[in-house]
């Protein structure tokens, strides 16, 4: 498994979250930064994460890319050596103590496993009325669209905490930089999280 740590101005959280990650669970760790200005990059450098382009075989790595999850994944895909990719955001929204559970579920043969902040014994400290409503609308839409295709109902489609086969974005043809019709119509780049 390759762990992709997605960061954008996370310096305050890093010392409390990153040391809790069991690195032995991963073949490779890549930090994808969207242009942090708060010392996030420096923290990773000071704590043994190196420039990916110079240390391709190093377990702890660091990489800067243009903002946006879709662009970040496309940029870093050529460096990924794991058969599976796990996304992790060190903002306190992704529970470190559930990383092994997610990997164990994935190894049962699933193409994609998604964490949730809305299952029993889970929570989301940072939800407000807008994000809560947005998650409800997206969750309901996705579940309605895929309910008859053997798709397990989602409880949290907006969370970044997920693991999937490395080849999944290519297989679903969602690994392109080119804007789709919807994005061209709205003149916006939509960040993707594989559904």
């Amino acid at each position: 498994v390759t762990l992709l740590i997605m960061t954008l101005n996370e310096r305050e959280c890093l010392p409390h979250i990153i040391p809790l990650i069991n690195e032995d669970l991963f073949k490779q760790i890549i930090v994808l930064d969207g242009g942090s200005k708060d010392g996030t990059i420096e923290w990773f450098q000071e704590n043994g994460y190196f420039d990916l382009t110079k240390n391709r075989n190093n377990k702890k790595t660091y990489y800067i890319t243009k903002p946006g999850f879709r662009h970040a994944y496309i940029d870093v895909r050529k460096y990924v050596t794991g058969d599976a990719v796990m996304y992790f955001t060190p903002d306190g929204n992704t529970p470190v103590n559930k990383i092994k559970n997610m990997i164990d579920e994935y190894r049962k043969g699933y193409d994609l496993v998604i964490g949730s902040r809305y299952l029993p014994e889970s929570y989301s400290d940072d939800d407000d009325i807008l994000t809560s409503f947005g998650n409800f609308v997206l969750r309901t839409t996705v579940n309605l669209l895929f309910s008859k295709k053997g798709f397990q109902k989602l409880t949290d489609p907006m969370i970044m905490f997920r693991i999937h086969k490395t080849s999944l974005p290519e297989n679903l043809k969602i690994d392109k930089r080119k804007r789709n019709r919807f994005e061209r119509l709205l003149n916006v780049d939509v960040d993707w999280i594989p559904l």
Side-chain angles (χ1 to χ4, degrees), residues 130-190:
L130 183 62
T131 59
S132 206
F133 179 71
N135 204 324
F136 168 78
V137 169
L138 182 59
R139 175 178 65 240
T140 302
T141 303
V142 168
N143 287 329
L144 284 171
L145 289 173
F146 294 101
S147 64
K148 296 187 180 189
K149 297 182 181 179
F151 192 82
Q152 187 174 351
K153 288 196 173 192
L154 290 177
T155 56
D156 193 1
M158 292 175 63
I159 193 165
M160 197 60 220
F161 191 33
R162 49 191 68 211
I163 181 173
H164 65 78
K165 288 183 178 179
T166 303
S167 60
L168 187 63
E170 290 169 331
N171 294 344
L172 294 176
K173 298 183 178 15
I174 57 173
D175 62 334
K176 308 293 183 233
R177 273 191 214 281
K178 188 175 177 185
R179 287 181 171 179
N180 61 36
R181 284 184 227 153
F182 174 76
E183 292 171 310
R184 287 192 303 268
L185 178 68
L186 297 177
N187 193 30
V188 65
D189 287 324
V190 177

Side-chain angles (χ1 to χ4, degrees), residues 61-85:
T61 57
Y62 149 79
Y63 186 81
I64 299 175
T65 185
K66 67 188 279 190
F69 295 123
R70 177 174 69 185
H71 299 297
Y73 183 76
I74 291 168
D75 283 348
V76 78
R77 172 65 181 92
K78 62 187 169 197
Y79 299 114
V80 171
T81 60
D83 295 330
V85 174

Side-chain angles (χ1 to χ4, degrees), residues 12 28-29 31 39-40 43 56 63 68 82 91 103 105 109 115 119 123 138 149-150 179 181 183 189-191 195:
E12 188 176 323
Q28 177 185 41
I29 297 174
V31 177
T40 293
W43 186 89
R56 290 189 182 157
Y63 186 81
D91 57 2
I103 294 171
E105 279 301 305
L119 290 172
Y123 57 89
L138 182 59
K149 297 182 181 179
R179 287 181 171 179
R181 284 184 227 153
E183 292 171 310
D189 287 324
V190 177
D191 288 336
L195 294 173

